[in-house]
């Protein structure tokens, strides 16, 4: 009995140490791992249309070329639209900065009149124009770093797409004696493809609704704020909130308090409709992850892999959960990562087996 407990404790310690080593290696090699992960997930999403084209008797090379050209066209199109909007915005930045200073001065005066003498200076240090510009520059620097790796990502993506059929064949050869392992790989692929595909559709819908809402309100650079809403919607929980802040601030600069209020109401309404009405039927049973785990994974992968880790936090955690489910010794961790409904199903299954026996 004592030997069994000692062996289990030793295995747990080794597993934990191996986990820390893997995390350290991933952090150290994040500049290499990040583009590979992005290319891998894009490949998984692209696998379905390539297979569909092949089922229509389109040669593999041509199918890969058509899908790749479509992706590149979308990426370069979005980059062109965003680039033009940013350039135009930068040309008028002096006017917006002056207006922002006026709004801040008015806000500080109001707070001072309400007796917030001690906190005004601290508030000014956080929401001054310089602070906002520094935060924007930091985010744009992260996006710029990602874009600088775009050619590397594209090359990796090309080779992964060309090797797609070969990879599937090799997986079948490796797991020819264990059919369960094939299901295991297929489940990972299906989960990632479903999540990223549906999230792209939902994010696109969110961006379109934001665009037309801002056009109706009369906010300039509506396409820029809509693209931000589309991109940040891939970040769970806080992405939609973060995307709304610059649009609301700009609405206050351009149209005043009324414009900012209508913009905030529009974002709240859009996110409530998309999140509570449209998203649940599309996602089906959901991500298989608890809300707390989704939020913690956002922080964890963001710390490990930076901005890209935040965008890929959910699919990466889904992969970890599926891997943990394969071993009896780590299945309890997968249960902890899952939802209450999944835990209830496991309990009901256990009760059914006990009643049958």
């Amino acid at each position: 009995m004592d030997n069994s407990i000692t062996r289990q404790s030793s295995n747990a310690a080794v597993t934990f140490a191996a986990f820390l080593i893997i995390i350290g290696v991933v952090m150290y090699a994040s500049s290499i791992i990040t583009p590979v992960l992005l290319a891998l997930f894009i490949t998984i999403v692209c696998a379905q249309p390539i297979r569909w084209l092949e089922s229509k008797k389109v040669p593999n090379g041509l199918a890969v070329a058509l899908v790749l050209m479509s992706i590149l066209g979308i990426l370069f199109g979005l980059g062109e639209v965003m680039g033009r909007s940013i350039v135009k915005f930068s040309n008028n930045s002096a006017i917006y900065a002056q207006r922002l200073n006026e709004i801040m001065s008015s806000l500080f005066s109001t707070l001072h009149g309400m007796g917030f003498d001690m906190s005004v200076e601290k508030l000014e240090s956080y929401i001054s124009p310089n602070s906002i510009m520094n935060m924007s520059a930091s985010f744009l620097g992260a996006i710029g770093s990602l874009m600088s790796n775009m050619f590397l990502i594209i090359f990796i993506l090309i080779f992964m797409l060309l090797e797609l059929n070969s990879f599937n064949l090799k997986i079948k050869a490796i797991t020819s004696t264990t059919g369960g392992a094939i299901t295991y790989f297929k489940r990972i692929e299906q989960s990632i493809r479903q999540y990223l595909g549906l999230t792209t559709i939902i994010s696109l819908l969110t961006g379109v609704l934001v665009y037309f809402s801002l056009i109706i309100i009369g906010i300039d650079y509506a396409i820029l704020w809509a693209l931000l809403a589309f991109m940040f919607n891939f970040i769970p929980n806080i992405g939609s909130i973060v995307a709304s802040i610059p649009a609301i601030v700009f609405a206050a600069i351009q149209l005043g308090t009324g414009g900012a209020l209508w913009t905030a109401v529009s974002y709240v309404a859009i996110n409530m409709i998309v999140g509570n009405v449209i998203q649940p039927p599309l996602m089906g049973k959901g991500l298989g992850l608890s809300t707390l785990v989704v939020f913690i994974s956002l922080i964890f992968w963001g710390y490990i892999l930076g901005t890209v880790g935040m965008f890929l936090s959910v699919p990466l955690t889904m992969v970890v959960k599926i891997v943990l489910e394969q071993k009896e010794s780590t299945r309890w961790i997968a249960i902890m990562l899952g939802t209450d409904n999944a835990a209830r199903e496991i309990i009901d299954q256990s009760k059914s087996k006990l009643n049958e026996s």
Side-chain angles (χ1 to χ4, degrees), residues 85-268:
S85 298
I86 291 175
V87 169
K88 189 176 178 181
F89 181 83
S90 299
N91 293 335
N92 298 322
S93 60
I95 300 174
Y96 302 139
Q98 181 181 355
R99 176 59 180 154
L100 184 59
N101 276 319
E102 294 173 359
I103 294 174
M104 292 299 177
S105 298
S106 176
L107 175 62
F108 297 150
S109 298
T110 302
L111 291 174
H112 183 76
M114 295 173 62
F116 291 95
D117 295 332
M118 297 298 296
S119 61
V120 170
E121 294 181 358
K122 293 182 180 179
L123 183 63
E124 185 175 5
S125 66
Y126 286 114
I127 61 176
S128 66
N130 289 334
S131 298
I132 294 175
M133 291 302 294
N134 289 335
M135 291 174 60
S136 301
S138 178
F139 170 73
L140 291 176
I143 297 297
S145 177
L146 175 61
M147 294 302 293
S148 66
N149 290 326
M150 187 56 66
F151 286 106
L152 176 60
I153 295 171
I154 291 172
F155 277 113
I156 297 174
L157 176 62
I158 292 172
F159 285 109
M160 283 187 173
L161 290 176
L162 292 174
E163 289 284 331
L164 189 61
N165 290 336
S166 175
F167 178 77
N168 292 331
L169 182 63
K170 291 174 182 177
I171 291 297
K172 290 181 180 179
I174 294 172
T175 59
S176 58
T177 57
T178 55
I182 298 176
T183 306
Y184 157 58
F185 281 106
K186 286 184 177 179
R187 186 181 168 196
I188 290 177
E189 179 189 355
Q190 182 180 1
S191 298
I192 294 174
R193 186 175 66 247
Q194 180 181 12
Y195 171 76
L196 291 179
L198 293 178
T199 302
T200 300
I201 295 173
I202 293 169
S203 299
L204 181 61
L205 177 61
T206 301
V208 170
L209 292 175
V210 166
Y211 174 75
F212 284 110
S213 297
L214 297 183
I215 287 292
I216 293 171
I217 296 171
I219 306 297
D220 292 338
Y221 311 108
I223 188 65
L224 178 60
W225 314 127
L227 285 173
L228 286 177
F230 167 75
M231 291 171 57
F232 275 91
N233 204 64
F234 283 89
I235 301 177
N237 297 331
I238 65 172
S240 57
I241 299 174
V242 174
S244 68
I245 294 175
I248 294 172
V249 171
F250 184 80
I253 294 173
Q254 182 188 348
L255 302 177
T257 305
L261 181 60
W262 278 111
T263 302
V265 170
S266 298
Y267 271 89
V268 171

